[in-house]
Amino acid sequence: MQDCHKSQKIAICMVGLPARGKTYISRKLHRYLNWLGYNCKVFNIGNYRREICGTECDKTFFDSKNEQATKARNECAQMALNDLISFLNSDGEIAIFDGTNTTKQRRNMVQCSLSQQCQNVQTLWIESICDDADVIQNNIRLTKLNNPDYVSMNPEDATKDFLGRIRMYEEVYQKIELDENLSFIKLINIGEDIQIHKVKGYLLSKIISYLMNLHIYPRPIYLTRHGGSTFNQENRVGGDCDLSQQGIQYSEQLGKFLLDEFPTQEKRNQIHCLTSTMKRATQTADIVCNILKINYLQLKTLDEINVGICDGLTYTQIAIQFPEDFAQRKVNKLTYRYPRGESYLDLISRIEPIIYEIERSREPVLVIGHQAILRCLYAYFHRNEISEVPQLEIPIHAIIKLTPAAYYCEEIRIRIDPETGERKQIEEYLQYERVNLLTKKKSYILL
């Protein structure tokens, strides 16, 4: 865990009506915080309700006047909260309580339970408020109609039922007020406005900064290593070398590929291209962006991992000259830090601002980078465990196209032959990261 004391526990509790992006925010935060190295977990009340009560709960189940259903929903929420508290009281560091929590009574129960049963816990409430009808309808279409609750229902009936569910919650909804004495953030219309009250601490400040950059607009993100370099040919690490002839050819073919991806100059002008300050990356960007007739932004933050005193050496030379370091690196590449250089953990901290930059962009993003840097970025978008980062495959002379959606990330990998320009889609990486929930049919009455 980075940046804060191990003894400090944090509970993040969501508030808001259905279809306001609470689960989207929860999952984004979970991905971000785990990527930073925190042991974070989401406790979604809806999943507990589906597990215990089944998926055939229509809008009447959410009517506050339905006493049996209200009792069942409260018990599901209590079960989720109990598991959250157990997680924080063991090795958990940050827990996210994902649910509507729309009444003062529910929030008071949660706050009291956390303060009484968790030691040294800091609680942050995040209320997502949205009155934009188009955003709500779009959220229902993209996420709720694929919800297990509606797997056997046609879209029209599912939308009608879900809108009825929203009306049930609206009848009892109480927005967070100052008299509740809570630490809270209010996100209004997915980032159009943000209100902050009694939020203190380094990590909570980072969370606010992250949330301010989120939006729900779809756009592709392209990740590619620079063209092959002279050091790649010689199997040397580090350095600030030039492109090889093959690297120049790849850069030209990459530019042609992106011409096909963005067939008009108007679309090409929307591309937000980022690269490092190292020659092999800027030379690649020069060729690509000259073909596309666009500009690019150089960022030292995107420079390759600093290999310190091993700069310019081959791995064979490192093994001979620094055998202890070579052995340590083989044992744990994640935490190994090159002498006078960096580790992968250092890299993740260094490129955090790039995550903010990519998240806030509403246009296509192209990152022309280096292997270690792209491993860290890729891990963020695919929710890889932090221990997996140093082993992720980011091949040279290939482009990775990521398209983040609400609850998953679509990936397509295309290998581009530098000499012929032949493009081959790598089928094993044509994948969708989705969350699969079991469909269960049960009575919602708990005994």
Side-chain angles (χ1 to χ4, degrees), residues 14-27 98-100 128:
M14 303 303 301
V15 176
L17 293 169
R20 265 58 176 184
K22 299 181 301 300
T23 297
Y24 171 76
I25 293 168
S26 296
R27 291 184 179 180
D98 180 17
T100 54
S128 183

Side-chain angles (χ1 to χ4, degrees), residues 55 144-145 147-154 157-158 161-162 165:
T55 58
K144 302 307 178 183
L145 298 188
N147 188 303
D149 292 345
Y150 298 113
V151 69
S152 60
M153 194 179 295
N154 68 64
D157 290 341
D161 182 82
F162 194 81
R165 182 188 301 191

Side-chain angles (χ1 to χ4, degrees), residues 238-281:
D240 193 16
C241 55
D242 295 308
L243 289 178
S244 64
Q245 183 58 39
Q246 192 178 57
I248 293 171
Q249 292 174 320
Y250 171 74
S251 303
E252 293 169 346
Q253 299 295 350
L254 176 62
K256 293 176 183 178
F257 167 81
L258 291 168
L259 282 178
D260 293 339
E261 287 283 289
F262 301 91
T264 67
Q265 192 59 47
E266 181 181 6
K267 290 184 177 180
R268 292 170 207 146
N269 290 339
Q270 295 176 347
I271 300 172
H272 190 34
C273 181
L274 308 173
T275 193
S276 77
T277 64
M278 307 188 104
K279 286 194 292 185
R280 55 194 183 275

Side-chain angles (χ1 to χ4, degrees), residues 359-377:
E359 284 288 10
R360 76 173 184 83
S361 178
R362 300 188 181 190
E363 271 105 34
V365 176
L366 168 64
V367 181
I368 299 173
H370 306 268
Q371 181 171 242
I373 293 288
L374 296 182
R375 279 172 170 165
C376 296
L377 292 176

Side-chain angles (χ1 to χ4, degrees), residues 146-200:
N146 295 318
N147 188 303
D149 292 345
Y150 298 113
V151 69
S152 60
M153 194 179 295
N154 68 64
E156 184 177 344
D157 290 341
T159 300
K160 183 178 179 181
D161 182 82
F162 194 81
L163 290 172
R165 182 188 301 191
I166 293 175
R167 285 191 291 273
M168 296 297 177
Y169 276 102
E170 286 175 334
E171 292 178 1
V172 297
Y173 180 30
Q174 298 170 302
K175 293 181 181 179
I176 295 178
E177 300 290 346
L178 295 179
D179 62 7
E180 294 179 68
N181 198 31
L182 301 176
S183 171
F184 66 80
I185 304 169
K186 290 183 183 244
L187 297 173
I188 301 170
N189 289 332
I190 316 295
E192 281 187 9
D193 191 15
I194 185 168
Q195 298 175 11
I196 304 167
H197 180 70
K198 292 181 65 177
V199 177
K200 299 177 183 179

Side-chain angles (χ1 to χ4, degrees), residues 276-383:
S276 77
T277 64
M278 307 188 104
K279 286 194 292 185
R280 55 194 183 275
T282 57
Q283 288 170 4
T284 304
D286 278 335
I287 295 170
V288 170
C289 292
N290 280 337
I291 292 172
L292 298 176
K293 297 180 181 179
I294 64 172
N295 297 319
Y296 62 87
L297 180 63
Q298 286 181 264
L299 296 168
K300 192 163 183 60
T301 316
L302 284 173
D303 284 359
E304 180 59 302
I305 187 170
N306 183 349
V307 295
I309 62 175
C310 297
D311 193 64
L313 300 179
T314 66
Y315 286 110
T316 301
Q317 290 172 330
I318 295 172
I320 294 170
Q321 297 181 34
F322 308 102
E324 290 185 7
D325 282 283
F326 188 78
Q328 289 175 16
R329 182 177 179 274
K330 287 188 71 173
V331 171
N332 192 336
K333 286 178 68 175
L334 178 68
T335 60
Y336 170 76
R337 179 179 288 116
Y338 284 96
R340 302 179 196 169
E342 292 178 301
S343 69
Y344 269 92
L345 288 181
D346 296 329
L347 270 195
I348 289 172
S349 295
R350 165 149 67 90
I351 69 167
E352 186 182 359
I354 302 300
I355 294 298
Y356 288 17
E357 183 73 13
I358 295 174
E359 284 288 10
R360 76 173 184 83
S361 178
R362 300 188 181 190
E363 271 105 34
V365 176
L366 168 64
V367 181
I368 299 173
H370 306 268
Q371 181 171 242
I373 293 288
L374 296 182
R375 279 172 170 165
C376 296
L377 292 176
Y378 180 92
Y380 168 80
F381 285 103
H382 269 303
R383 297 196 298 179

